[in-house]
Amino acid sequence: MGEQQQVQFPQEVIDEYAALGVDLPALFSAGHLGTRMGVQIREASADRVVGTMPVEGNTQPYGLLHGGASAVLAETLGSVGSMLHGGTSKIAVGVDLNCTHHRGVRSGLVTGVATPVHRGRSTATYEIVISDEQGRRVCTARLTCLLRDVKPGDGAQAGATA
């Protein structure tokens, strides 16, 4: 479903995570499910995360983009933003995802943009807007992640399961 590209991070951020045993570019490659669905992270910071996903291969029986595929893209992007907000001392765990589907898409690429609604010490909430290639809104989602303290062994585990 397309070549997986690595997200570019500032070297000091990569070094900070590497000290915990976390390969940050691999962590934010969209994980196994995201890879199967063709999700690609294009830009990532705590202020804005952008990713794309092909419609082909992610449709429901009527040939439209599956709502669950939009949810995967939204949760991936919001989780990346939450992790970057939480920093190396926190793990972001999704606790609430809400998606409203506005229009159907049959082909092409959809793009999601996640921006923060709330960034606190224990939770982070992101709004994710998914649009088609014409810039029309396909889905609006909101993801809230719990930011919990890193426990021993989380670094290797987070890098392995993202």
Side-chain angles (χ1 to χ4, degrees):
M1 287 217 175
E3 182 178 311
Q4 188 70 15
Q5 296 182 2
Q6 294 223 338
V7 181
Q8 298 299 313
F9 293 96
Q11 189 60 49
E12 62 271 10
V13 174
I14 291 172
D15 293 344
E16 186 178 1
Y17 279 85
L20 295 174
V22 176
D23 179 348
L24 190 63
L27 179 64
F28 291 115
S29 67
H32 298 294
L33 177 60
T35 298
R36 272 196 303 272
M37 296 182 72
V39 172
Q40 294 188 356
I41 308 293
R42 303 293 186 180
E43 174 187 330
S45 73
D47 293 323
R48 178 179 154 96
V49 182
V50 179
T52 60
M53 181 180 67
V55 174
E56 183 180 350
N58 294 314
T59 58
Q60 38 89 310
Y62 297 116
L64 299 171
L65 177 64
H66 195 292
S70 293
V72 168
L73 178 59
E75 185 153 356
T76 298
L77 301 179
S79 293
V80 167
S82 295
M83 280 289 289
L84 291 172
H85 164 65
T88 58
S89 65
K90 300 284 186 176
I91 296 286
V93 180
V95 293
D96 182 60
L97 177 64
N98 170 304
C99 299
T100 301
H101 307 287
H102 306 293
R103 72 172 56 243
V105 181
R106 292 189 179 277
S107 63
L109 200 65
V110 291
T111 300
V113 178
T115 54
V117 173
H118 167 77
R119 290 187 296 185
R121 288 184 312 234
S122 61
T123 62
T125 300
Y126 280 76
E127 178 184 59
I128 304 93
V129 174
I130 300 173
S131 303
D132 64 15
E133 290 178 313
Q134 289 73 44
R136 298 175 298 192
R137 191 177 289 223
V138 172
C139 175
T140 303
R142 188 192 68 242
L143 173 71
T144 298
C145 287
L146 172 68
L147 301 174
R148 70 168 182 80
D149 292 332
V150 173
K151 296 176 184 168
D154 278 344
Q157 185 178 18
T161 62

